């Protein structure tokens, strides 16, 4: 399967089911109120949920892409979070209406004869549909799934029941951390690595894959890389090709904020360089990439940028806005 770009839409949905599936994890099921099909999506996609007028959060779709009647996400209660997971756990109830935007996919499953999937905690969610697709492709694959304890690891029972020994569960309280040296120490031919989880796991996997072929590793982050947003940067100009306007971006102000202050509306969500909503084509100039989403190859092309965090590495950028 060659991933194709999906068209983002704004949807009015209803929460049809909410069920606990692990310690501090609930699975939410959404459908259209009239029961019509939802937009098509591919493994790795996520959606924005507008939990309140001031609260929008991104969640990976973890249901079956072939089932167009519903979307499902799983949400971990984060005690030190910014309020989204608490709202989901404490306030959302079946029957509630909710506004959604998407689907959006910067973590698409690329065709390969072999896959190594690495999950940490709630990072299992975007990988679930990938396993289904890898099976459909007839590819070889294995999943190594770590968590604090078995009770905290969502979907572990059905994963083992469905896929058997190809799923390796590594609860930390029983087995410690996954042995990444053994998994990644020698690059595997014709193998793609997909990893999602906490920052410590992602950084360790990135280090472990340093000797692997370029773009063998695919990651998704729920929060920016440590230090990725540091530094205010220099003042620069942004030329908006569609409007013919030029906007000055001072130190400490994002391109997104500067463009919005100039009266040009741009879709955005996380404002942290992780979701991709504000991705904008770069027509000319060099980008100081500060996002946690684009691959090194995508960043090196300097033909797109996440304007909520990235800046210019030159005096002037020309954007498709």
């Amino acid at each position: 399967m060659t991933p194709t770009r999906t068209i983002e839409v704004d949807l009015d949905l209803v929460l049809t089911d909410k069920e606990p599936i692990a310690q501090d994890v609930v699975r939410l099921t959404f459908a259209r109120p009239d029961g019509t099909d939802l937009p098509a999506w591919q493994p790795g996609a996520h959606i924005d949920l507008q939990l309140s007028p001031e609260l929008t959060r991104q969640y990976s779709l973890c249901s079956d892409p072939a089932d167009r009647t519903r979307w499902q996400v799983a949400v971990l209660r984060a005690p030190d979070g910014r309020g989204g997971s608490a709202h989901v756990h404490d306030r959302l109830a079946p029957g509630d209406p909710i506004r959604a935007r998407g689907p959006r996919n910067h973590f698409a499953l690329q065709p390969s004869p072999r896959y190594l999937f690495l999950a940490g905690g709630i990072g299992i969610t975007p990988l679930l549909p990938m396993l289904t697709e890898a099976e459909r492709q007839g590819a070889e694959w294995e999943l190594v799934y770590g968590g604090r304890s078995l009770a905290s690891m969502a979907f572990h029972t059905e994963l083992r029941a469905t896929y058997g020994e190809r799923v390796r569960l590594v609860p930390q309280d029983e087995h410690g951390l996954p042995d990444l040296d053994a998994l990644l120490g020698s690059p595997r031919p014709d193998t793609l690595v997909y990893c999602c989880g906490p920052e410590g796991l992602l950084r360790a996997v990135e280090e472990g894959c340093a000797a692997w072929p370029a773009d063998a590793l695919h990651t998704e982050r729920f929060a920016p890389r440590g230090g990725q947003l540091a530094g205010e940067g220099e003042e620069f100009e942004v030329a908006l090709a569609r409007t013919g306007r030029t906007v000055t971006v001072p130190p400490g102000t994002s391109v997104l904020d500067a463009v919005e202050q100039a009266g040009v509306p741009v879709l955005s969500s996380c404002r942290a360089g992780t979701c991709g909503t504000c991705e904008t084509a770069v027509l000319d100039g060099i980008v100081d990439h500060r996002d946690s989403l684009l691959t090194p190859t995508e960043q090196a092309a300097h033909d797109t940028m996440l304007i909520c965090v990235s800046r210019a590495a030159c005096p002037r950028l020309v954007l498709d806005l």
Side-chain angles (χ1 to χ4, degrees):
M1 178 189 70
T2 300
T4 56
R5 183 179 295 274
T6 53
I7 298 175
E8 290 184 33
V9 294
D10 289 297
L11 294 170
D12 290 309
L13 305 179
V14 62
L15 178 63
T16 61
D17 191 36
K18 175 182 178 180
E19 58 176 324
I21 57 172
Q23 188 177 73
D24 293 326
V25 180
V26 293
R27 176 166 53 193
L28 309 178
T29 303
F30 300 98
R32 278 183 158 154
D34 61 4
T36 56
D37 279 355
L38 290 159
W41 60 281
Q42 295 175 354
H46 68 266
I47 56 173
D48 298 343
L49 292 182
Q50 187 175 0
L51 304 173
S52 73
E54 301 80 24
L55 197 61
T56 298
R57 295 291 183 266
Q58 295 76 43
Y59 298 105
S60 298
L61 290 168
C62 61
S63 44
D64 183 355
D67 184 356
R68 300 275 299 276
T69 66
R70 63 181 185 173
W71 281 347
Q72 290 182 318
V73 303
V75 182
L76 169 70
R77 180 191 287 276
D80 56 349
R82 296 176 295 141
S85 67
H87 183 101
V88 166
H89 279 255
D90 299 336
R91 300 183 61 181
L92 279 188
D96 285 351
I98 195 161
R99 187 77 167 165
R101 180 195 296 160
R104 186 180 311 115
N105 199 342
H106 282 273
F107 193 44
L109 187 69
Q110 304 296 332
S112 178
R114 282 176 289 278
Y115 299 97
L116 172 60
F117 298 107
L118 302 172
I122 199 63
I124 187 63
T125 52
L127 302 184
L128 290 174
M130 294 186 180
L131 305 183
T132 302
E133 179 58 27
E135 282 285 279
R136 194 194 68 79
Q137 291 179 13
E140 297 178 22
W141 64 266
E142 65 175 305
L143 166 67
V144 179
Y145 175 17
R148 298 186 313 276
S149 65
L150 206 57
S152 72
M153 297 167 64
F155 306 105
H156 75 268
T157 300
E158 55 202 83
L159 281 168
R160 287 301 297 268
T162 303
Y163 299 118
E165 295 304 314
R166 280 185 293 176
V167 173
R168 194 185 316 170
L169 302 176
V170 190
Q172 187 174 354
D173 61 348
E174 298 179 32
H175 303 293
L177 299 174
D179 187 350
L180 296 181
D181 289 339
L183 290 166
L184 304 172
S186 298
R188 307 185 191 184
D190 300 319
T191 301
L192 296 183
V193 180
Y194 279 79
C195 180
C196 186
E199 183 64 18
L201 172 66
L202 292 165
R203 283 194 173 275
V205 170
E206 287 172 341
E207 292 173 5
C209 286
W212 286 58
D215 293 337
L217 173 62
H218 299 259
T219 62
E220 183 167 65
R221 282 176 158 81
F222 298 132
R225 286 188 182 95
Q228 195 76 354
L229 308 181
E232 293 189 346
E234 303 293 330
E235 180 176 288
F236 60 95
E237 290 187 343
V238 171
L240 310 181
R242 295 189 203 175
T243 64
R245 301 182 61 181
T246 297
V247 175
T248 298
V249 183
T253 298
S254 70
V255 175
L256 175 60
D257 286 341
V259 169
E260 287 181 334
Q261 290 165 12
V264 180
V266 181
L267 284 178
S268 65
S269 184
C270 75
R271 294 180 177 259
T274 60
C275 77
T277 305
C278 69
E279 185 178 359
T280 301
V282 178
L283 305 180
D284 189 43
I286 303 299
V287 181
D288 173 12
H289 290 287
R290 301 186 179 195
D291 67 273
S292 301
L293 187 68
L294 301 177
T295 67
T297 299
E298 290 169 335
Q299 291 183 343
H302 295 288
D303 58 5
T304 189
M305 69 183 291
L306 271 60
I307 63 172
C308 64
V309 293
S310 294
R311 302 182 63 79
C314 60
R316 186 172 184 267
L317 290 175
V318 181
L319 302 182
D320 186 21
L321 288 174

